[in-house]
Amino acid sequence: MENFDLHNHSTASDGLLSPAQLIELAARNGTHAIALTDHDTTDGLEEAERAAREAGIAFVPGVEISVSWGRTTLHVVGLRVDPACPELVAGLGSIREGRLERGRLIAAELERLGMPGTLEGALELAGDAAQLTRSHFGRHLVQAGHVKHTQQAFDKYLASGKPAYVAHRWTSLENAISWICGSGGIAVLAHPGRYDLQPSVRREMLREFGQLGGEGIEVVTGSHRPEEYATWQRVAAEMGFLASRGADYHGPGESSHEPGRLAALHASLVPVWSRWAH
Ligand code: AMP
Ligand code: MN
Ligand code: MN
Ligand code: MN
């Protein structure tokens, strides 16, 4: 099997490894082609591409775009995007603009719950206010001794439905897909098993995703439990989606799978990379 891993994060968003460190880890793990897909930014791509060239593995420039579909947040991965495309650059910038204000609201909730100073703490970890994510709040809560590990920060405070969750308006599904496709990329729905939707609504979402130009869904991902792979394999086959595979790696101690260390896609699936001459 060709070892493609098409979903990973770096310090350019909420990963713990620099783009170069991520690529080096992927290469050590025997990955043949790796995508960097940071949240709403392409800032890490240049460094990652250089590192991939040095490590002798193929590089896929990517991004993971935050989308609001009704009240649900969806993530759409763009693969083989052109980070210089003006519409993509402007679109991603418009999403990042909202992150600091949302961070202030999250911090206000945490302060109300007896945890002051979390905006400053999370910002220090994020480095850049435009990159501030809930992961940075989670890590700060660990460092400040409020929780034992990042997952607990989500389970107690930050996940949807928990007391410090703040609803936020990201971009539309239509915008995200159009920016990705407009820059020459392929749009892939990230971790479809992670969205809290009734089956009929999920179906409608997938149909809309396809109608708007989305071509793939992730089947094998670190964000699905292995027992879920078969479900999404079936959906990909039934609905005619290309299938993707990616660790959704964020860093040591935070992710179930290292880059390149996932089950293979089932041989009956059409992988997204079948589209690429390589
Ligand atoms: P944000 O874009 O700021 O809402 O942050 C989203 C990021 O938080 C995701 O990409 C994950 O890395 C992390 N995350 C979201 N939900 C959870 C969860 N339930 N458990 C652990 N991490 C999560
Ligand atoms: Mn993340
Ligand atoms: Mn995601
Ligand atoms: Mn991700």
Side-chain angles (χ1 to χ4, degrees):
M1 176 197 88
E2 282 180 292
N3 189 343
F4 278 70
D5 189 322
L6 301 179
H7 186 155
N8 290 285
H9 296 275
S10 76
T11 46
S13 67
D14 62 348
L16 291 168
L17 302 186
S18 69
Q21 288 171 328
L22 172 78
I23 300 300
E24 284 152 20
L25 174 60
R28 281 200 299 280
N29 285 349
T31 314
H32 297 124
I34 176 135
L36 179 64
T37 55
D38 276 310
H39 297 289
D40 311 312
T41 182
T42 57
D43 282 358
L45 297 184
E46 224 179 275
E47 177 183 324
E49 182 169 24
R50 209 175 320 119
R53 212 177 311 123
E54 280 166 22
I57 66 175
F59 182 66
V60 176
V63 65
E64 182 175 18
I65 302 186
S66 310
V67 162
S68 291
W69 189 77
R71 291 186 188 181
T72 304
T73 298
L74 304 176
H75 284 172
V76 178
V77 165
L79 296 173
R80 283 207 164 182
V81 295
D82 173 5
C85 174
E87 288 77 21
L88 180 67
V89 171
L92 297 179
S94 73
I95 301 179
R96 292 196 303 268
E97 261 174 29
R99 283 194 172 271
L100 178 59
E101 192 44 43
R102 170 191 182 241
R104 284 202 182 95
L105 299 173
I106 294 175
E109 290 303 317
L110 290 169
E111 176 148 18
R112 206 175 45 79
L113 294 161
M115 291 163 276
T118 59
L119 181 65
E120 295 71 19
L123 275 174
E124 200 174 314
L125 295 175
D128 174 356
Q131 285 312 137
L132 184 61
T133 71
R134 282 183 291 159
S135 304
H136 300 109
F137 277 96
R139 288 174 197 147
H140 168 73
L141 292 180
V142 177
Q143 289 183 2
H146 298 300
V147 291
K148 287 204 209 58
H149 43 80
T150 316
Q151 187 58 54
Q152 193 177 41
F154 277 90
D155 295 345
K156 274 181 92 166
Y157 303 116
L158 300 169
S160 172
K162 302 300 174 185
Y165 180 77
V166 171
H168 187 72
R169 202 75 212 151
W170 304 104
T171 195
S172 68
L173 188 56
E174 186 174 6
N175 282 344
I177 295 172
S178 123
W179 299 335
I180 290 167
C181 296
S183 85
I186 289 189
V188 173
L189 184 70
H191 40 68
R194 280 261 299 268
Y195 310 120
D196 187 20
L197 296 170
Q198 296 299 315
S200 65
V201 182
R202 177 168 306 176
R203 203 88 188 157
E204 185 188 323
M205 181 269 289
L206 286 163
R207 253 197 302 272
E208 195 174 316
F209 176 74
Q211 278 161 4
L212 291 169
E215 291 185 80
I217 67 170
E218 289 183 345
V219 173
V220 171
T221 151
S223 289
H224 285 165
R225 284 171 283 115
E227 57 270 29
E228 292 176 284
Y229 296 167
T231 304
W232 298 102
Q233 182 180 314
R234 200 162 51 240
V235 170
E238 278 172 14
M239 299 190 73
F241 285 117
L242 302 169
S244 193
R245 171 183 187 263
D248 202 359
Y249 183 72
H250 283 75
E254 288 203 4
S255 300
S256 58
H257 296 75
E258 284 200 352
R261 293 234 165 117
L262 295 148
L265 287 180
H266 192 270
S268 64
L269 291 165
V270 185
V272 274
W273 57 86
S274 66
R275 285 298 199 73
W276 309 328
H278 57 271

